[in-house]
């Protein structure tokens, strides 16, 4: 299993004010990202940033300040810390590494609208402010401290009737707090240094979960992408996996949630309706899972017959509401076999419960450190005090 998790790492934001662009390079986990490097035992974080700037730009570039400190907390693993340093703007780019890519705010926006975008996550867009004063605005914000940990989806309410639809889906999949914490760790192992999951990473992750490359991966991604951002959050991935879980019931609120995923899966143009060809594809898949004939005549006959269940107005353009109603009233059957993993996605979580090799050079790095070595509140304050100071040195 790939792991982008590093206990202490540095990211550098290199601006070019001449045309208001920032520098991105190819990240090891796939996609363009701000230059990032882990800290070795003999280095300070500031030294790592200086060396990384020199390696990427081929010149001595000044550091203005630390603009962001990220703490990423895990239940069963040590906290990971990432500092983002803002470099002084550079003019000469001929000495930069050949793989350097310079993108403006508008170019980033355009790239991020495409799937796949070739960019690891949405964060670079957040770091670049709209012209004309993007650089001045960014510098004025100073260092911000961000702490991230798993946000549990509640499943243990005494009155189960009070569960929301997402909560009922997670409960039906039997994703308790232990599983959610491990899923969060696994998610970050695939996504870091970004906290979002790109399509490229999603493809690798779902293959890790048992899907094949040719298993309509773009359709699965579209079904998971609840907010149509072209990037997934941890919560979106967790809910999507719960919908795919073989044991998740296909009745009540979990069934409605699953049907929404199924609808998005077949709604290829994301217009909120199933065209007849899209609906016919669904019918064909149901027949395939039931080992029924898949010749064109049989599929067409079944699709036409099923389409009539939704009424004449919905035959060529089936809206989500009509689809949910027909399935809920058992008029249209067979959807329970759709959108399922062959095996439970929890199987891979067992790997995280065992000692594994970590990307950090620390001793006993795969195990949870004793409480005396974890980052305590005073450690967070210390990071804040140190990194909030302006960094000055002679060039």
């Amino acid at each position: 299993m790939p792991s982008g998790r590093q206990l202490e790492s540095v990211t550098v934001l290199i601006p070019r004010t001449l045309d208001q662009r920032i520098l991105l390079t190819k990240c090891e986990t796939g996609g363009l990202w701000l230059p990032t490097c882990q800290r070795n035992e003999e280095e300070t974080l500031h030294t790592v940033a200086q060396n990384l700037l020199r390696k990427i730009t081929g010149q001595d570039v000044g550091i203005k300040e630390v603009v962001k400190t990220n703490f990423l907390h895990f239940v069963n693993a040590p906290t990971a810390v990432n500092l983002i340093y803002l470099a002084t703007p550079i003019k000469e780019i001929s000495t930069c590494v050949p793989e350097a890519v310079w993108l403006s705010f508008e170019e980033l926006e355009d790239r991020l609208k495409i799937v796949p975008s070739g960019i690891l996550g949405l964060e670079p867009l957040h770091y670049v402010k709209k012209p004309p004063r993007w650089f001045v605005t960014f510098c004025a914000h100073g260092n911000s401290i961000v702490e991230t940990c798993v946000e549990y989806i509640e499943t243990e309410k005494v009155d189960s009737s009070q569960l929301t639809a997402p909560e009922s889906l997670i409960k039906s999949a039997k994703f308790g707090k232990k599983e959610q914490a491990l899923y969060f760790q696994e998610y970050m192992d695939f996504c870091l240094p970004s906290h979002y999951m790109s399509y490229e990473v999603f493809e690798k992750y779902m293959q890790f979960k048992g899907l094949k490359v040719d298993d309509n991966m773009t359709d699965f991604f579209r079904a998971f992408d609840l907010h149509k951002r072209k990037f997934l959050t941890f919560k979106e991935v967790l809910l999507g996996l719960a919908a795919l879980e073989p044991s998740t019931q296909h009745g009540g609120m979990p069934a409605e949630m699953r049907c929404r995923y199924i609808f998005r899966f077949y709604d290829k143009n994301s217009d909120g309706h199933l065209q007849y060809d899209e609906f016919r594809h669904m019918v064909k898949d149901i027949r395939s899972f039931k080992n029924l004939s898949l010749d064109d005549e049989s599929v067409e006959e079944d699709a036409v017959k099923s389409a009539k269940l939704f009424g004449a107005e919905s035959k060529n353009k089936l809206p989500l509401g009509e689809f949910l109603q027909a399935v809920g009233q058992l008029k249209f059957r067979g959807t329970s076999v759709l959108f399922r993993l062959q095996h439970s996605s929890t199987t891979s979580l067992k790997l995280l419960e065992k000692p594994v090799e970590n990307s950090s050079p620390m001793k006993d790095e795969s195990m949870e450190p004793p409480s005396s070595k974890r980052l305590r509140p005073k450690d967070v304050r210390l990071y804040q005090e140190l990194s909030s100071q302006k960094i000055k040195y002679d060039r």
Side-chain angles (χ1 to χ4, degrees), residues 10-38:
V10 163
T11 296
V12 290
L13 178 59
I14 308 173
R16 190 173 78 183
T17 53
L18 179 65
D19 51 8
Q20 297 174 337
R21 284 177 164 83
I22 61 169
L23 185 148
L24 302 178
T25 57
K26 186 74 172 179
C27 181
E28 290 182 0
T29 52
L32 294 173
W33 193 250
L34 300 171
T36 300
C37 184
Q38 72 174 9

Side-chain angles (χ1 to χ4, degrees), residues 255-267:
E256 180 178 333
M257 284 288 289
R258 272 187 30 81
C259 283
R260 290 177 183 272
Y261 280 91
I262 292 169
F263 189 92
R264 288 192 298 271
F265 181 90
Y266 289 97
D267 183 16

Side-chain angles (χ1 to χ4, degrees), residues 101-224:
V101 177
W102 294 91
L103 294 175
S104 66
F105 179 87
E106 292 81 5
E107 289 167 339
L108 271 170
E109 273 194 322
D110 291 340
R111 289 282 292 268
L112 292 172
K113 293 175 183 177
I114 304 170
V115 177
S117 67
I119 298 176
L120 198 60
L122 292 173
E123 290 93 339
L125 187 65
H126 301 162
Y127 301 146
V128 183
K129 305 301 178 183
K130 287 186 177 180
R133 298 180 62 80
W134 66 278
F135 181 68
V136 175
T137 303
F138 190 90
C139 291
H141 286 171
N143 180 33
S144 62
I145 306 296
V146 178
E147 296 189 73
T148 304
C149 61
V150 58
E151 295 183 8
Y152 295 107
I153 296 179
E154 182 60 55
T155 61
E156 300 302 325
K157 292 181 179 178
V158 177
D159 185 357
S160 59
S161 66
Q162 298 301 312
L163 290 173
T164 64
E167 290 170 349
S168 66
L169 181 65
I170 294 297
K171 183 173 183 177
S172 182
K174 297 180 175 60
F175 291 175
K177 285 190 173 182
K178 175 185 177 182
E179 288 76 22
Q180 291 182 47
L182 292 173
Y183 273 121
F184 179 72
Q185 185 176 334
E186 184 181 69
Y187 169 91
M188 287 299 177
D189 280 343
F190 273 83
C191 295
L192 286 174
S194 176
H195 287 197
Y196 292 93
M197 181 173 282
S198 67
Y199 172 78
E200 295 92 327
V201 175
F202 176 81
E203 193 173 61
K204 296 175 183 176
Y205 184 62
M206 295 311 293
Q207 288 180 53
F208 178 70
K209 290 296 186 182
L211 290 182
K212 298 178 182 178
V213 180
D214 58 350
D215 279 347
N216 306 306
M217 202 68 76
T218 56
D219 298 328
F220 281 105
F221 186 81
R222 182 177 58 254
F224 275 50

Side-chain angles (χ1 to χ4, degrees), residues 298-311:
S298 299
V299 172
E300 183 68 19
E301 181 182 352
D302 195 352
V304 170
K305 181 181 178 181
S306 298
K308 291 180 179 178
L309 298 172
F310 301 97

